[in-house]
Amino acid sequence: MLALTLLALLSSTDGKVAIVERTTLGIPAGSGAALRQRLRVALGAAGLEAELVSPACADRECLTALARTRGACVVGVTLVKNKKGLTVDLEAVDAAAVVLQQTFLLANEQLERSPEAQVFAYQLGTRLAKDRPVVEPPPPPKVLTPGLVEAPPPWLEPSPAPSRVAPRVLGGVAGGLGAAAIGLLVASAVVKGQLDTALREPVVTSLTRIEAQQQADLANGLLGGSVVALGLGLASGATALVLGLD
């Protein structure tokens, strides 16, 4: 029953505003009444049905009780004159809670032309209008199950890094073939040197014709093998260099 009563009171405040004095310091009572009348003009320009009521309400409990009694939104007006100027504090309440608050320094007595007062009036009109648009709440954020990570789409998956094993292997092979080529070349030179020395002996050679032919074939074979090993080593080295630069 209480909820229905509050709902009826809240629905009846649409467009209706009661303006009441809350506190007035540093200015005459007549000037305060004139300023509240100018606030009524500003609220009327925003499409609100505003009226001045009395007596004054000094605290929020009084404003809330007045809103509940009148079935309207109540705007309490505080006016304080100090060295900086005239401070205006506006507090709009309904039967349940504070609807809107605004505090500003008034440059002149034309309160209805003050940008701050106009903003307050139109914001209050928007909150009290019956046909104000309903804003849909934002969708809740997507929560992932702990321990699970969404897999990226296939087109976003990083491509595997190229392997660095093949260049190192080919580099080792190239080095081994190069060393073998040098060894075969040295061996070929040694055998050929021994054969040339034996053939240059003036009278009698220690080699038979068959042995001399075998040493010549061995020297040529070692030389050919060194050439082949050197070629393979150079090819392996070039391949390893290309793969290492990718």
Side-chain angles (χ1 to χ4, degrees):
M1 185 64 181
L2 179 60
L4 294 177
T5 303
L6 289 177
L7 180 61
L9 288 172
L10 291 175
S11 63
S12 65
T13 63
D14 291 332
K16 295 181 181 181
V17 179
I19 302 173
V20 62
E21 178 186 4
R22 189 169 183 179
T23 304
T24 302
L25 296 175
I27 62 174
S31 299
L35 288 171
R36 289 190 294 274
Q37 179 62 36
R38 290 180 179 275
L39 176 62
R40 179 173 178 264
V41 174
L43 295 175
L48 296 171
E49 184 181 344
E51 61 175 335
L52 299 176
V53 297
S54 58
C57 276
D59 52 37
R60 184 174 297 169
E61 289 76 10
C62 177
L63 296 177
T64 304
L66 182 61
R68 187 179 299 111
T69 301
R70 299 185 64 88
C73 177
V74 175
V75 177
V77 181
T78 300
L79 303 172
V80 178
K81 181 72 173 180
N82 51 35
K83 295 180 180 180
K84 296 181 179 180
L86 181 62
T87 300
V88 180
D89 180 81
L90 306 176
E91 184 177 29
V93 301
D94 58 18
V98 176
V99 177
L100 187 64
Q101 287 180 303
Q102 177 76 7
T103 301
F104 56 94
L105 190 66
L106 185 63
N108 52 58
E109 294 185 357
Q110 295 181 345
L111 188 147
E112 73 278 9
R113 296 186 180 181
S114 169
E116 294 85 357
Q118 292 178 356
V119 169
F120 175 85
Y122 281 97
Q123 285 183 345
L124 185 60
T126 300
R127 299 190 183 190
L128 298 182
K130 291 182 180 181
D131 56 349
R132 61 181 180 271
V134 178
V135 179
E136 295 293 335
K142 189 175 182 181
V143 180
L144 295 179
T145 304
L148 296 180
V149 180
E150 285 188 338
W155 56 87
L156 294 181
E157 291 182 355
S159 57
S163 175
R164 298 298 178 184
V165 178
R168 289 196 293 267
V169 173
L170 290 176
V173 172
L177 290 175
I182 294 175
L184 292 175
L185 184 62
V186 172
S188 173
V190 170
V191 172
K192 190 174 185 303
Q194 292 176 352
L195 179 60
D196 291 341
T197 300
L199 293 177
R200 284 197 300 269
E201 292 180 358
V203 179
V204 179
T205 178
S206 59
L207 295 176
T208 64
R209 184 180 185 85
I210 295 176
E211 290 175 345
Q213 185 63 42
Q214 288 177 347
Q215 284 196 1
D217 293 340
L218 177 59
N220 291 332
L222 292 174
L223 180 61
S226 67
V227 173
V228 172
L230 182 60
L232 292 175
L234 292 176
S236 299
T239 304
L241 180 62
V242 172
L243 293 178
L245 293 177
D246 288 343

